[in-house]
Structures are given as structure tokens and as C-alpha cells.
Amino acid sequence: MWRRVASLSSSISSSFLAQTASRLNTWESLTTGIAQQAKGVIAPKEKTPFITFVLGGPGSGKGTQCIKIVETFGFAHLSAGDLLRREIASKSADGAMILNTIKEGKIVPSQVTVKLIQKEMELSDNHKFLIDGFPRTEENRVSFEQIIGVEPNVVLFFDCPEEEMVKRVLNRNEGRVDDNLETIKKRLTVFQALSLPVINYYSEKGKLYTIKAIGTEDEIFEQVRPIFAAFETVG
Ligand SMILES: Nc1ncnc2c1ncn2[C@@H]1O[C@H](COP(=O)(O)OP(=O)(O)O)[C@@H](O)[C@H]1O
Ligand SMILES: Nc1ccn([C@H]2C[C@H](O)[C@@H](COP(=O)(O)OP(=O)(O)O)O2)c(=O)n1
Ligand SMILES: [Mg+2]
């Protein structure tokens, strides 16, 4: 009999203990969460990231359309070119190498660019990212997959005739070292040889959305809008 009572009491006490422990755990995690928020510690990234790569030749209107996507759909905009130009301006160890590469119309080693993108993603409290001007090569693409470990949900390709891209870049007027005819010609060759294979890769994967990038900025955005609107509906 005592055994039954003993075993009963032990099962009561163990279940009581388990419940108490579970309450304490819940409380602990709640209080930890509150304390972290109060201290401004970065909250755990609960949502799966939603990644959009924005591709297209130089001057195809990627940056211009990204501004509209941010305004309408609340993405964080990470321009690979802007991040690299920021490195040059900050006179970091890689700055001189990046400047020469950009002047030459070539592509900066992937390791450098992906690390800059990774840092921005980690600092952001957004989970929806527009990664503009990346990946520009197969090496860029593979490096992102290896370092960040995720694939894009959407890949936009702004498809624009070369003569229109050249005209736009020469009129861009942002004081960029690469906005001159000599560099643009090199960039167009690099785009054909190294970036088009990436675009084809995503086309085969069924992730590519091609936008006819001629017309007014608003006309072009009307092709972009339904792509993201469809994802908003899905949830
Ligand atoms: N639809 C458009 N029609 C004419 N000019 C445009 C259009 N979209 C952008 N531009 C202009 O063309 C230049 C290049 O655009 P930008 O967004 O910087 O392209 P990208 O980021 O693809 O190089 C900018 O000066 C921009 O104001
Ligand atoms: N993934 C990338 C993106 C940009 N770069 C370098 C080389 C590019 O010619 C320059 C400028 O890129 P950016 O995207 O700002 O250029 P456009 O907006 O297309 O004119 O930066 C790079 O090396 N790798
Ligand atoms: Mg741009």
C-alpha cells in the first residue's frame, strides 16, 4: 500500500514539479524577452526572410524602382553598389581595390560584397530585403548561398535596350566615377558575359520576373506592383 501511495505521491509531485518548471520556464523566457526589449537587445529574427534580387544592366532603372517598392511594400533596400561606394568613402582596407574595380567596370570579389550585405541584413529589423545589383555573377550567386544560406524568393530583371541604358547613365549626374562612356562600354560587356547567365539560372528555376524597363518610371512600376501585391495576398 505504501508503495502505491508513494508511487502516487511521486507521480503527483513529479507532475507538479514538471508544471511548475514549465511555468517558470515560460516566465523566464517572457521576462528575458521583456528585459531584452527594455535593454534594446536585437529581438530574435522570428520571421523567415523574404529576399528579392534586383537585376538589370547599368542604368536599367533598378535603384529608381527600388525606391518605389520600398515606399509601397515596406522592404529594406540594400544596394550592393551603394554599400561598395560607402566602403570607398570610409577609406576601409578594401576601399582602394573597390574603387579601381568599379572604375574598370569589373566586379568586386564576392566575399567582400556578400559580407557587406550580410552585415546590413543582420542590422536590419526588417525581414523583407531588396538586394539591388546583386548577384552580378555566378560567383556572387554561389557565395551568397554559401555565406547567407538562403535563396531568393523573387528575382526581378529590368530588361532595357543598351542605347537607352547608355543615355540614362550619361545623364545620371550623381558624380559617379563609372558614369562615363568608356566604363559603361566595359560594364555592358561584363553584364552580357557574367550577369546574363545568372538571369538565365533564375529563369530556369521559375523565380524570374522580367520587366520591360522602357517608358515612364510610373509605367514601369505598374509592371512591378502586381508581383509584390500577389505575395502580400499569399501572406
Ligand atoms: N523610366 C525611366 N525613364 C527615364 N529615365 C529613368 C527611368 N528610370 C530611371 N531613370 C533615370 O536613369 C538613371 C539610371 O537609373 P537608376 O535607377 O540609377 O538605374 P540603375 O540603378 O539600374 O543603374 C537615373 O538618372 C534615373 O533617374
Ligand atoms: N554585386 C556587385 C554590385 C556592384 N559592383 C560594383 C561594380 C559595378 O559596376 C558598380 C556599381 O554598381 P551599381 O549597382 O551601383 O550600378 P548601377 O546602379 O547598375 O549603375 O559596383 C560589384 O562589383 N558587385
Ligand atoms: Mg543602381
Side-chain angles (χ1 to χ4, degrees):
M1 185 70 174
W2 68 268
R3 278 175 196 268
R4 278 197 64 191
V5 171
S7 78
L8 193 65
S9 82
S10 98
S11 75
I12 289 169
S13 65
S14 65
S15 87
F16 173 76
L17 278 176
Q19 280 175 24
T20 309
S22 134
R23 274 195 214 107
L24 281 172
N25 280 339
T26 312
W27 175 245
E28 193 186 14
S29 62
L30 268 177
T31 50
T32 312
I34 292 164
Q36 280 184 342
Q37 278 174 25
K39 276 191 279 175
V41 174
I42 297 168
K45 309 239 170 180
E46 284 149 13
K47 289 188 174 170
T48 320
F50 185 98
I51 294 181
T52 299
F53 286 155
V54 183
L55 306 180
S60 59
K62 301 179 294 298
T64 304
Q65 293 298 318
C66 280
I67 292 168
K68 292 178 177 290
I69 299 167
V70 167
E71 283 168 4
T72 312
F73 296 104
F75 278 71
H77 178 203
L78 275 59
S79 157
D82 285 350
L83 293 175
L84 292 167
R85 283 183 285 273
R86 201 167 76 187
E87 282 298 289
I88 299 171
S90 74
K91 301 197 178 346
S92 76
D94 288 325
M97 176 276 291
I98 296 172
L99 176 62
N100 284 330
T101 310
I102 287 181
K103 272 188 193 160
E104 282 302 309
K106 293 182 180 158
I107 305 297
V108 172
S110 300
Q111 183 82 358
V112 172
T113 314
V114 174
K115 289 280 173 208
L116 293 173
I117 293 172
Q118 183 182 33
K119 207 162 72 186
E120 289 301 300
M121 289 177 77
E122 284 173 359
L123 286 174
S124 175
D125 53 11
N126 205 327
H127 74 289
K128 301 199 294 186
F129 297 101
L130 275 182
I131 306 187
D132 167 7
F134 184 96
R136 274 191 151 102
T137 61
E138 280 290 289
E139 193 216 12
N140 267 184
R141 179 182 72 71
V142 171
S143 178
F144 185 90
E145 274 174 25
Q146 284 172 349
I147 296 174
I148 314 283
V150 283
E151 292 206 5
N153 302 79
V154 168
V155 180
L156 297 183
F157 167 40
F158 289 93
D159 190 11
C160 192
E162 281 198 3
E163 65 269 27
E164 176 69 17
M165 292 197 277
V166 172
K167 202 169 75 188
R168 288 184 194 173
V169 167
L170 291 178
N171 286 325
R172 181 150 47 189
N173 218 10
E174 289 177 6
R176 280 175 49 169
V177 291
D178 50 349
D179 283 352
N180 58 77
L181 194 55
E182 197 188 336
T183 309
I184 296 163
K185 281 184 182 163
K186 289 178 182 164
R187 292 191 66 196
L188 289 172
T189 307
V190 166
F191 176 72
Q192 293 283 337
L194 303 180
S195 305
L196 279 183
V198 179
I199 289 162
N200 290 334
Y201 172 87
Y202 287 119
S203 173
E204 278 161 24
K205 283 208 130 193
K207 291 188 173 181
L208 193 76
Y209 295 81
T210 301
I211 310 293
K212 289 194 197 74
I214 30 174
T216 66
E217 292 174 14
D218 285 344
E219 281 165 356
I220 295 166
F221 187 63
E222 287 317 312
Q223 296 176 62
V224 173
R225 186 197 296 276
I227 298 165
F228 293 104
F231 280 96
E232 296 262 299
T233 319
V234 171

